[in-house]
Amino acid sequence: MTAHGHDAPRAARPATGSGEGGRTVGDDRVMTVVRQWHAVHPGLATAPMELIGRLNRCAALLQQAEDAPLRSAGLSRAEFDLLGALRRTGRALTPGDLARETFSSGAAVTKRLKQLTERGLVERRGDSRDRRVIHIHLTEQGRDLVDGILPGQLAYEASVLSGLDTGEQADLTALLSALLVQLEGRLGGFRP
Amino acid sequence: MTAHGHDAPRAARPATGSGEGGRTVGDDRVMTVVRQWHAVHPGLATAPMELIGRLNRCAALLQQAEDAPLRSAGLSRAEFDLLGALRRTGRALTPGDLARETFSSGAAVTKRLKQLTERGLVERRGDSRDRRVIHIHLTEQGRDLVDGILPGQLAYEASVLSGLDTGEQADLTALLSALLVQLEGRLGGFRP
DNA sequence: AACAGGTGTTTTACTCGTGAAACATTCGCC
DNA sequence: GGCGAATGTTTCACGAGTAAAACACCTGTT
């Protein structure tokens, strides 16, 4: 959906109510976009757009924000995810496992592994029982790299979320979890 | 962050509380990942990951879901966004405007415009005052395409969100808006 | 043992987006 | 008018990800 907006110059204005009770929607980019759509199609049911648009924008901004510190450490997010999957599972994984863990294609994983292997962050071993299978494990260097980066990433995340109080964060987490459970059930991506 | 998890086989289990009061976090993929991290680094402060991980997963699943119907209509999401920006602003925009509206690079916009122009969905005009500037407007065909697609997209969005009741949706919208306002202020992406 | 179907990984050919460079144009200052 | 700086768009060279194909290997049935 086209939740992406543009920066119309605007004077300061009070937050705009957009629902029942105490629920308030702030003056963000999505609000601008929604208003534009209402002008074009009066009566358009935009509530889904108001939610999904914001979800996408928040995700985009957060991902973008996190990419910078990772880049400083010489890793892309995808690479960090892959290394992280190895670290948190605590065992060797096959390329297929890694593809599933990181919601990537096999081809992408192959490419990444090539690079990470060349950098000495992961190592490959064959499987004694099945010659098709490759096992990938973290090297000590790879593990140290992940362990060195993770606390800083988490601290950074805490920092960017600090604009919401802990109650709001917990509420948001719970609601997102409810949504995610629904989406995973409905659209796949997880089989509990 | 590595909120991306994997589908560990699991027996049915009750929802796990993860905060104060009535806030409950469901049994989703992120939960699995967080547990793994806790096993690796006991005492790790994972609350930020629990929020951001879910945000990213929800966004990814929703975007993926929306891409399919658009593809049926012969458009990528980026193309739809671009056409949508023209439609909702209701006037011609420059490539630079479109890049800002859609959070894309100028090079990407140039490419997309080339394709959309060839398909007769947009048209280009020079600027009478500044020879550098190009104005892009929707053709009638382009406008009809957007108008034809939008209601179905919104209905689909309403459908995928229907796993949450309207109160939950409104709460989520409000909290996301609060977060987005903070992020936009802190990380840029909007100048009200 | 032979074979069809399935599986794991890699390769291939391609698309898409990016940052930087290129180029033309405009603006403001002297 | 001349010039440096800024601006708008496009081009360029590249990296990243994808679906499908390729290939090797495994499994289950006859």
Side-chain angles (χ1 to χ4, degrees):
Chain A
M1 50 90 42
T2 54
H4 309 279
H6 94 286
D7 57 333
R10 65 179 57 258
R13 52 163 67 239
T16 309
S18 172
E20 53 266 17
R23 298 166 185 138
T24 317
V25 172
D27 193 20
D28 55 30
R29 179 60 166 274
V30 175
M31 185 63 73
T32 309
V33 171
V34 168
R35 271 196 217 105
Q36 288 172 342
W37 278 120
H38 274 140
V40 173
H41 293 309
L44 192 63
T46 54
M49 183 194 297
E50 298 187 41
L51 195 159
I52 294 177
R54 290 187 172 90
L55 195 67
N56 286 334
R57 284 307 298 152
C58 289
L61 287 172
L62 286 166
Q63 283 173 44
Q64 189 178 74
E66 289 177 14
D67 285 348
L70 284 180
R71 266 273 147 262
S72 302
L75 288 176
S76 69
R77 185 160 17 102
E79 288 167 337
F80 186 60
D81 278 354
L82 192 149
L83 296 174
L86 287 166
R87 184 71 180 99
R88 63 180 159 78
T89 53
R91 55 189 176 85
L93 299 173
T94 65
D97 291 332
L98 287 166
R100 282 184 290 276
E101 281 292 324
T102 59
F103 302 102
S104 304
S105 69
V109 166
T110 296
K111 280 185 176 177
R112 271 174 225 144
L113 289 177
K114 181 172 187 294
Q115 289 160 7
L116 295 173
T117 302
E118 286 166 357
R119 293 172 59 180
L121 301 179
V122 302
E123 278 174 350
R124 317 160 54 82
R125 284 196 196 119
D127 183 274
S128 51
R129 264 177 264 262
D130 187 335
R131 299 171 48 134
R132 296 170 301 185
V133 176
I134 302 288
H135 294 286
I136 308 289
H137 67 273
L138 276 179
T139 62
E140 191 160 331
Q141 182 192 348
R143 198 193 66 202
D144 291 347
L145 182 62
V146 175
D147 287 349
I149 293 178
L150 187 63
Q153 285 295 100
L154 288 174
Y156 183 58
E157 290 178 358
S159 162
V160 296
L161 296 178
S162 61
L164 298 188
D165 69 42
T166 52
E168 285 171 322
Q169 289 184 35
D171 282 345
L172 186 49
T173 300
L175 284 166
L176 286 171
S177 179
L179 176 59
L180 184 55
V181 167
Q182 291 292 323
L183 294 177
E184 283 173 344
R186 181 180 182 133
L187 303 174
F190 190 40
R191 286 147 301 241
Chain B
M1 51 94 31
T2 54
H4 309 282
H6 95 284
D7 57 335
R10 67 180 55 261
R13 52 159 75 234
T16 309
S18 171
E20 52 268 15
R23 298 168 185 136
T24 318
V25 173
D27 191 22
D28 54 30
R29 180 60 168 277
V30 176
M31 185 61 75
T32 307
V33 171
V34 168
R35 271 196 217 106
Q36 288 173 341
W37 277 121
H38 274 140
V40 172
H41 292 308
L44 192 63
T46 55
M49 183 193 297
E50 298 187 40
L51 193 160
I52 293 178
R54 289 186 173 91
L55 194 68
N56 286 333
R57 285 305 299 151
C58 288
L61 287 172
L62 286 166
Q63 283 173 46
Q64 190 178 74
E66 288 178 12
D67 284 347
L70 283 180
R71 267 271 146 264
S72 302
L75 288 177
S76 69
R77 186 161 15 103
E79 287 167 337
F80 186 60
D81 279 354
L82 191 151
L83 295 175
L86 286 166
R87 184 71 181 96
R88 63 181 159 77
T89 54
R91 55 189 176 84
L93 298 173
T94 64
D97 291 331
L98 285 165
R100 282 185 289 275
E101 281 292 322
T102 58
F103 301 102
S104 304
S105 69
V109 166
T110 295
K111 279 186 176 175
R112 275 176 222 141
L113 288 178
K114 181 172 188 294
Q115 289 161 7
L116 295 173
T117 301
E118 286 166 358
R119 293 172 58 180
L121 300 178
V122 302
E123 278 173 351
R124 318 160 54 82
R125 284 195 196 122
D127 184 272
S128 50
R129 264 177 264 259
D130 187 332
R131 294 163 58 123
R132 298 170 301 187
V133 176
I134 303 289
H135 294 286
I136 308 289
H137 68 274
L138 276 178
T139 62
E140 192 161 333
Q141 184 193 347
R143 200 194 65 203
D144 290 347
L145 183 62
V146 175
D147 286 348
I149 293 177
L150 187 66
Q153 284 295 99
L154 288 175
Y156 184 58
E157 290 178 359
S159 163
V160 296
L161 294 178
S162 61
L164 297 188
D165 67 42
T166 52
E168 286 171 320
Q169 289 183 36
D171 282 344
L172 186 49
T173 299
L175 284 166
L176 285 170
S177 179
L179 176 58
L180 184 55
V181 167
Q182 292 292 323
L183 295 177
E184 282 171 344
R186 181 179 181 134
L187 304 172
F190 189 40
R191 287 145 296 243

